[in-house]
Amino acid sequence: MDAAAGMSVVVLILALLGLLIAVLWILMPFAIFGTKDLLRELIREQKKTKEILIAEAKRVRARDNYRPDDDLSATR
């Protein structure tokens, strides 16, 4: 294989790599915008879970007549 053939293979590989990067560059914003709604839903569910856990902790503390030095209002 001579130098010109080797150089053309390198140029071809670089061109394909550049094309791949260009396609990914164009598609990336759509992938990011698609996850925004999912992240919002996860945050909502996490807040619901936190409220449920706080209510359950208060219920258990009231049931067991447990009175710590600090109360659960510090978690809000």
Coordinates of all heavy atoms in Angstrom, one line a residue:
M1 N 0.9 -1.2 0.0 CA 0.0 0.0 0.0 C 0.9 1.2 0.0 O 1.8 1.4 0.8 CB -0.9 0.0 1.3 CG -1.9 1.1 1.3 SD -2.9 1.2 2.8 CE -4.2 0.1 2.4
D2 N 0.6 2.1 -0.9 CA 1.5 3.3 -1.0 C 0.9 4.4 -0.1 O -0.1 4.3 0.5 CB 1.6 3.8 -2.4 CG 0.3 4.2 -3.0 OD1 -0.8 3.8 -2.5 OD2 0.3 4.8 -4.1
A3 N 1.6 5.5 0.0 CA 1.3 6.6 0.9 C -0.1 7.3 0.6 O -0.9 7.6 1.4 CB 2.4 7.7 1.0
A4 N -0.4 7.4 -0.7 CA -1.6 8.0 -1.2 C -2.8 7.2 -0.8 O -3.8 7.7 -0.3 CB -1.6 8.2 -2.7
A5 N -2.7 5.9 -0.9 CA -3.8 5.0 -0.5 C -4.0 5.0 1.0 O -5.2 5.0 1.5 CB -3.5 3.6 -1.0
G6 N -2.9 5.0 1.7 CA -3.0 5.1 3.2 C -3.7 6.4 3.6 O -4.5 6.5 4.6
M7 N -3.3 7.5 3.0 CA -3.8 8.8 3.3 C -5.3 8.9 3.0 O -6.1 9.5 3.7 CB -3.0 9.9 2.6 CG -3.4 11.3 3.0 SD -3.1 11.5 4.7 CE -1.9 12.7 4.7
S8 N -5.7 8.3 1.9 CA -7.1 8.3 1.5 C -8.0 7.5 2.5 O -9.1 7.9 2.8 CB -7.3 7.8 0.1 OG -7.0 6.4 0.0
V9 N -7.4 6.4 3.0 CA -8.2 5.7 4.1 C -8.3 6.5 5.3 O -9.4 6.6 5.9 CB -7.4 4.4 4.4 CG1 -8.0 3.7 5.6 CG2 -7.5 3.4 3.2
V10 N -7.3 7.2 5.7 CA -7.4 8.1 6.9 C -8.4 9.2 6.7 O -9.2 9.5 7.6 CB -6.0 8.7 7.2 CG1 -6.1 9.8 8.3 CG2 -5.0 7.6 7.7
V11 N -8.4 9.8 5.5 CA -9.3 10.9 5.2 C -10.8 10.3 5.2 O -11.7 11.0 5.7 CB -9.0 11.5 3.8 CG1 -10.1 12.4 3.4 CG2 -7.7 12.3 3.9
L12 N -11.0 9.2 4.7 CA -12.3 8.5 4.7 C -12.8 8.3 6.1 O -13.9 8.6 6.4 CB -12.3 7.2 3.9 CG -13.6 6.5 3.8 CD1 -14.6 7.3 3.1 CD2 -13.4 5.1 3.2
I13 N -11.9 7.8 6.9 CA -12.3 7.5 8.3 C -12.6 8.8 9.1 O -13.6 8.9 9.8 CB -11.1 6.7 9.1 CG1 -11.1 5.3 8.5 CG2 -11.4 6.7 10.6 CD1 -9.9 4.5 9.0
L14 N -11.8 9.8 8.8 CA -12.1 11.1 9.5 C -13.4 11.7 9.0 O -14.1 12.3 9.7 CB -10.9 12.1 9.2 CG -9.6 11.8 10.0 CD1 -8.5 12.7 9.6 CD2 -9.9 11.8 11.5
A15 N -13.7 11.6 7.7 CA -14.9 12.1 7.1 C -16.1 11.4 7.7 O -17.1 12.0 8.1 CB -14.9 11.9 5.6
L16 N -16.0 10.1 7.9 CA -17.1 9.3 8.5 C -17.3 9.7 10.0 O -18.4 9.8 10.5 CB -16.9 7.8 8.4 CG -17.0 7.2 7.0 CD1 -16.6 5.8 6.9 CD2 -18.4 7.4 6.4
L17 N -16.2 9.9 10.7 CA -16.3 10.3 12.1 C -16.9 11.7 12.2 O -17.7 11.9 13.0 CB -14.9 10.3 12.7 CG -14.8 10.7 14.2 CD1 -15.5 9.7 15.0 CD2 -13.3 10.8 14.6
G18 N -16.5 12.6 11.3 CA -17.1 13.9 11.2 C -18.6 13.9 11.0 O -19.4 14.6 11.6
L19 N -19.0 13.0 10.1 CA -20.4 12.8 9.7 C -21.2 12.3 11.0 O -22.3 12.8 11.3 CB -20.6 11.9 8.5 CG -22.0 11.7 8.1 CD1 -22.7 12.9 7.6 CD2 -22.1 10.6 7.0
L20 N -20.6 11.3 11.6 CA -21.2 10.8 12.8 C -21.4 11.9 13.9 O -22.5 12.0 14.5 CB -20.4 9.6 13.4 CG -20.9 9.0 14.7 CD1 -22.3 8.3 14.4 CD2 -19.9 8.0 15.2
I21 N -20.4 12.7 14.1 CA -20.4 13.7 15.1 C -21.5 14.8 14.7 O -22.2 15.3 15.6 CB -19.1 14.4 15.3 CG1 -18.1 13.4 16.0 CG2 -19.1 15.7 16.1 CD1 -16.7 13.8 16.1
A22 N -21.6 15.1 13.5 CA -22.6 16.1 13.0 C -24.0 15.6 13.2 O -24.9 16.3 13.7 CB -22.4 16.4 11.5
V23 N -24.3 14.3 12.9 CA -25.6 13.7 13.2 C -25.9 13.7 14.7 O -27.0 14.1 15.1 CB -25.7 12.3 12.6 CG1 -26.9 11.6 13.0 CG2 -25.6 12.3 11.1
L24 N -25.0 13.3 15.5 CA -25.2 13.3 16.9 C -25.4 14.7 17.4 O -26.2 15.0 18.3 CB -24.0 12.7 17.7 CG -23.9 11.2 17.4 CD1 -22.6 10.6 18.1 CD2 -25.1 10.4 17.9
W25 N -24.7 15.7 16.9 CA -24.8 17.1 17.3 C -26.3 17.6 17.0 O -26.8 18.4 17.8 CB -23.8 17.9 16.6 CG -23.7 19.4 17.0 CD1 -24.4 20.4 16.5 CD2 -22.9 19.9 18.1 NE1 -24.1 21.6 17.2 CE2 -23.2 21.3 18.2 CE3 -22.0 19.3 19.0 CZ2 -22.5 22.0 19.1 CZ3 -21.4 20.1 19.9 CH2 -21.7 21.4 20.0
I26 N -26.8 17.2 15.9 CA -28.2 17.6 15.5 C -29.2 16.9 16.4 O -30.2 17.5 16.8 CB -28.4 17.3 14.0 CG1 -27.5 18.2 13.2 CG2 -29.9 17.5 13.6 CD1 -27.5 17.9 11.7
L27 N -29.0 15.6 16.7 CA -30.0 14.9 17.5 C -30.0 15.1 19.0 O -31.0 14.9 19.6 CB -29.8 13.4 17.2 CG -30.1 12.9 15.8 CD1 -29.9 11.5 15.6 CD2 -31.6 13.3 15.3
M28 N -28.9 15.6 19.5 CA -28.7 15.8 21.0 C -29.8 16.7 21.6 O -30.3 16.3 22.6 CB -27.3 16.3 21.3 CG -27.1 16.4 22.8 SD -27.1 14.9 23.6 CE -25.6 14.2 23.1
P29 N -30.1 17.8 21.0 CA -31.1 18.7 21.7 C -32.5 18.0 21.8 O -33.2 18.1 22.8 CB -31.3 19.9 20.8 CG -30.0 19.9 20.1 CD -29.5 18.5 19.9
F30 N -32.9 17.1 20.9 CA -34.1 16.4 20.9 C -34.1 15.4 22.1 O -35.1 15.2 22.7 CB -34.5 15.8 19.6 CG -34.6 16.7 18.5 CD1 -33.7 16.9 17.5 CD2 -35.7 17.6 18.4 CE1 -33.8 17.8 16.5 CE2 -35.9 18.5 17.4 CZ -34.9 18.6 16.4
A31 N -33.0 14.8 22.3 CA -32.9 13.8 23.4 C -33.0 14.6 24.7 O -33.6 14.1 25.7 CB -31.6 13.1 23.3
I32 N -32.4 15.7 24.9 CA -32.4 16.5 26.1 C -33.8 17.0 26.4 O -34.3 16.9 27.5 CB -31.4 17.6 26.1 CG1 -30.0 17.0 26.1 CG2 -31.6 18.6 27.2 CD1 -28.9 18.0 25.9
F33 N -34.5 17.6 25.4 CA -35.8 18.1 25.5 C -36.8 17.0 25.9 O -37.8 17.2 26.5 CB -36.3 18.9 24.3 CG -35.5 20.2 24.1 CD1 -35.0 20.5 22.9 CD2 -35.2 21.0 25.2 CE1 -34.3 21.7 22.7 CE2 -34.5 22.2 25.0 CZ -34.0 22.5 23.8
G34 N -36.6 15.8 25.4 CA -37.5 14.7 25.6 C -37.4 14.2 27.1 O -38.4 13.6 27.6
T35 N -36.3 14.5 27.8 CA -36.2 14.0 29.1 C -36.7 15.1 30.2 O -36.9 14.7 31.3 CB -34.7 13.7 29.5 OG1 -33.9 14.9 29.3 CG2 -34.2 12.6 28.6
K36 N -37.0 16.3 29.7 CA -37.4 17.3 30.7 C -38.7 16.9 31.3 O -38.9 17.1 32.6 CB -37.5 18.7 30.0 CG -36.2 19.4 29.8 CD -36.5 20.8 29.3 CE -35.3 21.6 29.3 NZ -35.5 23.0 28.9
D37 N -39.7 16.5 30.6 CA -41.0 16.1 31.2 C -40.8 14.9 32.1 O -41.4 14.9 33.2 CB -42.0 15.7 30.1 CG -42.4 16.9 29.3 OD1 -42.3 18.1 29.8 OD2 -42.8 16.8 28.1
L38 N -39.9 14.0 31.8 CA -39.7 12.9 32.7 C -39.1 13.3 34.0 O -39.4 12.8 35.1 CB -38.8 11.8 32.0 CG -39.4 11.1 30.8 CD1 -38.3 10.3 30.1 CD2 -40.6 10.3 31.2
L39 N -38.1 14.3 33.9 CA -37.5 14.8 35.1 C -38.5 15.5 36.0 O -38.5 15.4 37.2 CB -36.3 15.7 34.8 CG -35.1 15.0 34.2 CD1 -34.1 16.0 33.8 CD2 -34.5 14.1 35.3
R40 N -39.4 16.3 35.4 CA -40.4 17.0 36.1 C -41.3 16.0 36.9 O -41.7 16.2 38.0 CB -41.2 17.9 35.2 CG -40.5 19.1 34.8 CD -41.4 20.1 34.0 NE -40.6 21.2 33.5 CZ -40.4 21.4 32.2 NH1 -41.0 20.6 31.3 NH2 -39.7 22.4 31.8
E41 N -41.7 14.9 36.2 CA -42.5 13.9 36.8 C -41.8 13.2 38.0 O -42.4 13.0 39.0 CB -42.9 12.9 35.7 CG -43.9 11.8 36.3 CD -44.2 10.8 35.3 OE1 -44.0 11.0 34.1 OE2 -44.8 9.7 35.7
L42 N -40.5 13.0 37.8 CA -39.8 12.4 38.9 C -39.7 13.3 40.1 O -39.8 12.8 41.2 CB -38.4 12.0 38.4 CG -38.2 10.8 37.5 CD1 -36.8 10.7 37.0 CD2 -38.6 9.6 38.3
I43 N -39.5 14.6 39.9 CA -39.5 15.5 41.0 C -40.8 15.6 41.7 O -40.9 15.6 42.9 CB -39.0 16.9 40.5 CG1 -37.6 16.9 40.0 CG2 -39.3 18.0 41.5 CD1 -37.1 18.1 39.3
R44 N -41.9 15.6 40.9 CA -43.3 15.6 41.5 C -43.5 14.3 42.4 O -44.0 14.4 43.5 CB -44.3 15.6 40.5 CG -44.7 17.0 40.1 CD -46.0 17.0 39.2 NE -46.0 16.1 38.1 CZ -45.6 16.3 36.9 NH1 -45.1 17.6 36.6 NH2 -45.6 15.4 35.9
E45 N -43.1 13.2 41.9 CA -43.2 11.9 42.6 C -42.4 11.9 43.9 O -42.8 11.4 44.9 CB -42.9 10.7 41.7 CG -43.9 10.5 40.6 CD -45.3 10.2 41.2 OE1 -45.4 9.5 42.2 OE2 -46.3 10.6 40.5
Q46 N -41.2 12.5 43.8 CA -40.3 12.5 44.9 C -40.9 13.4 46.0 O -40.8 13.1 47.2 CB -38.9 13.0 44.5 CG -37.9 12.9 45.6 CD -36.5 13.3 45.1 OE1 -36.4 13.9 44.1 NE2 -35.5 12.9 45.9
K47 N -41.5 14.5 45.6 CA -42.1 15.4 46.6 C -43.3 14.7 47.3 O -43.5 14.8 48.5 CB -42.6 16.7 45.9 CG -41.4 17.6 45.6 CD -41.9 18.9 44.9 CE -40.7 19.8 44.6 NZ -41.1 21.0 43.9
K48 N -44.1 14.0 46.5 CA -45.2 13.2 47.1 C -44.7 12.2 48.1 O -45.2 12.0 49.2 CB -46.0 12.5 46.0 CG -46.9 13.4 45.2 CD -47.6 12.5 44.1 CE -48.3 13.3 43.1 NZ -48.9 12.4 42.0
T49 N -43.6 11.5 47.7 CA -43.1 10.5 48.6 C -42.6 11.1 49.9 O -42.7 10.6 51.0 CB -41.9 9.7 47.9 OG1 -42.4 9.1 46.7 CG2 -41.3 8.6 48.8
K50 N -41.9 12.3 49.8 CA -41.4 13.0 51.0 C -42.6 13.3 51.9 O -42.5 13.1 53.1 CB -40.7 14.2 50.5 CG -40.1 15.0 51.7 CD -39.5 16.3 51.2 CE -39.2 17.2 52.3 NZ -38.7 18.5 51.9
E51 N -43.7 13.8 51.3 CA -44.8 14.2 52.2 C -45.4 13.0 52.8 O -45.8 13.0 54.0 CB -45.9 14.9 51.3 CG -45.5 16.2 50.8 CD -45.2 17.2 51.9 OE1 -45.9 17.2 52.9 OE2 -44.2 18.0 51.7
I52 N -45.5 11.9 52.1 CA -46.0 10.6 52.7 C -45.1 10.1 53.8 O -45.6 9.7 54.9 CB -46.2 9.5 51.6 CG1 -47.3 9.9 50.7 CG2 -46.4 8.2 52.2 CD1 -47.4 9.0 49.4
L53 N -43.8 10.2 53.6 CA -42.9 9.8 54.7 C -43.0 10.7 55.9 O -42.9 10.2 57.0 CB -41.5 9.7 54.1 CG -41.2 8.6 53.1 CD1 -39.8 8.8 52.6 CD2 -41.3 7.3 53.8
I54 N -43.1 12.0 55.7 CA -43.2 12.9 56.9 C -44.5 12.6 57.6 O -44.5 12.5 58.9 CB -43.1 14.3 56.4 CG1 -41.7 14.7 55.9 CG2 -43.6 15.3 57.5 CD1 -41.6 16.0 55.3
A55 N -45.6 12.4 56.9 CA -46.9 12.1 57.6 C -46.8 10.8 58.3 O -47.3 10.7 59.4 CB -48.0 12.1 56.5
E56 N -46.2 9.8 57.7 CA -46.1 8.5 58.4 C -45.2 8.6 59.6 O -45.5 8.0 60.7 CB -45.5 7.5 57.4 CG -45.4 6.1 58.0 CD -46.7 5.4 58.3 OE1 -47.8 5.9 57.9 OE2 -46.7 4.4 59.1
A57 N -44.1 9.3 59.5 CA -43.2 9.5 60.7 C -43.9 10.2 61.8 O -43.8 9.8 63.0 CB -41.9 10.3 60.3
K58 N -44.7 11.2 61.5 CA -45.5 11.9 62.5 C -46.5 11.0 63.1 O -46.8 11.0 64.3 CB -46.2 13.2 61.9 CG -45.2 14.3 61.6 CD -46.0 15.5 61.0 CE -45.1 16.7 60.8 NZ -45.7 17.8 60.2
R59 N -47.2 10.2 62.3 CA -48.2 9.3 62.8 C -47.6 8.3 63.8 O -48.1 8.0 64.9 CB -48.9 8.5 61.7 CG -50.0 7.7 62.1 CD -50.6 6.8 60.9 NE -49.6 5.8 60.5 CZ -49.4 4.7 61.2 NH1 -50.1 4.4 62.3 NH2 -48.5 3.8 60.7
V60 N -46.4 7.7 63.4 CA -45.7 6.7 64.3 C -45.3 7.4 65.6 O -45.4 6.8 66.7 CB -44.6 6.1 63.5 CG1 -43.7 5.3 64.5 CG2 -45.1 5.2 62.4
R61 N -44.7 8.6 65.5 CA -44.3 9.3 66.7 C -45.5 9.6 67.6 O -45.4 9.5 68.8 CB -43.6 10.6 66.3 CG -42.2 10.3 65.8 CD -41.5 11.6 65.4 NE -40.1 11.3 65.0 CZ -39.1 12.1 65.1 NH1 -39.3 13.3 65.5 NH2 -37.9 11.7 64.7
A62 N -46.6 10.0 67.0 CA -47.8 10.3 67.8 C -48.3 9.0 68.5 O -48.7 9.0 69.6 CB -48.9 10.9 67.0
R63 N -48.3 7.9 67.7 CA -48.8 6.6 68.2 C -47.9 6.1 69.4 O -48.4 5.6 70.4 CB -48.8 5.6 67.1 CG -49.3 4.2 67.5 CD -48.9 3.1 66.5 NE -47.5 3.0 66.5 CZ -46.8 2.4 65.6 NH1 -47.4 1.9 64.5 NH2 -45.5 2.2 65.7
D64 N -46.6 6.3 69.3 CA -45.7 5.8 70.3 C -45.4 6.8 71.4 O -44.6 6.6 72.3 CB -44.4 5.4 69.7 CG -44.6 4.2 68.7 OD1 -45.6 3.5 68.8 OD2 -43.7 4.0 67.8
N65 N -46.1 8.0 71.3 CA -45.9 9.1 72.3 C -44.4 9.4 72.4 O -43.8 9.7 73.4 CB -46.4 8.7 73.7 CG -47.9 8.6 73.7 OD1 -48.5 9.4 73.0 ND2 -48.4 7.7 74.4
Y66 N -43.8 9.5 71.2 CA -42.3 9.8 71.2 C -42.2 11.3 71.0 O -42.7 11.9 70.1 CB -41.7 9.1 70.0 CG -40.2 9.3 69.8 CD1 -39.3 8.8 70.7 CD2 -39.7 10.1 68.8 CE1 -37.9 9.1 70.6 CE2 -38.4 10.3 68.6 CZ -37.5 9.8 69.5 OH -36.2 10.1 69.4
R67 N -41.4 11.9 71.9 CA -41.2 13.4 71.8 C -39.7 13.7 71.8 O -39.1 13.8 72.8 CB -41.9 14.1 73.0 CG -43.3 13.8 73.1 CD -44.1 14.6 72.1 NE -45.5 14.4 72.2 CZ -46.3 13.9 71.2 NH1 -45.7 13.7 70.1 NH2 -47.5 13.8 71.4
P68 N -39.1 13.8 70.6 CA -37.7 14.1 70.6 C -37.4 15.6 70.9 O -38.4 16.4 71.0 CB -37.3 13.8 69.1 CG -38.6 14.0 68.4 CD -39.7 13.6 69.3
D69 N -36.2 15.9 71.0 CA -35.8 17.3 71.3 C -36.2 18.2 70.1 O -36.6 19.3 70.2 CB -34.3 17.4 71.6 CG -34.0 16.8 72.9 OD1 -34.9 16.6 73.7 OD2 -32.8 16.4 73.0
D70 N -36.0 17.7 68.9 CA -36.3 18.5 67.7 C -37.5 17.7 67.0 O -37.6 16.5 67.0 CB -35.1 18.6 66.7 CG -34.6 17.2 66.3 OD1 -34.7 16.3 67.1 OD2 -34.0 17.1 65.2
D71 N -38.3 18.5 66.4 CA -39.5 17.9 65.7 C -39.3 17.8 64.2 O -38.3 18.2 63.7 CB -40.8 18.7 66.0 CG -40.6 20.1 65.5 OD1 -39.9 20.9 66.1 OD2 -41.3 20.4 64.5
L72 N -40.3 17.3 63.5 CA -40.1 17.0 62.1 C -40.3 18.3 61.3 O -40.1 18.2 60.1 CB -41.2 16.0 61.6 CG -40.9 14.6 62.1 CD1 -42.1 13.7 61.7 CD2 -39.6 14.0 61.6
S73 N -40.6 19.4 61.9 CA -40.8 20.6 61.1 C -39.4 21.1 60.5 O -39.4 21.8 59.5 CB -41.4 21.7 61.9 OG -40.5 22.1 63.0
A74 N -38.3 20.6 61.0 CA -37.0 21.0 60.5 C -36.8 20.3 59.1 O -35.9 20.7 58.4 CB -35.9 20.5 61.5
T75 N -37.6 19.3 58.8 CA -37.4 18.6 57.5 C -38.1 19.3 56.4 O -37.9 18.9 55.3 CB -37.9 17.1 57.6 OG1 -39.2 17.1 58.0 CG2 -37.1 16.3 58.6
R76 N -38.9 20.2 56.7 CA -39.7 20.9 55.6 C -38.9 22.1 55.1 O -38.2 22.8 55.6 CB -41.0 21.4 56.2 CG -41.9 20.2 56.3 CD -43.3 20.7 56.6 NE -44.2 19.6 56.7 CZ -45.0 19.2 55.7 NH1 -45.1 19.9 54.7 NH2 -45.7 18.2 55.9

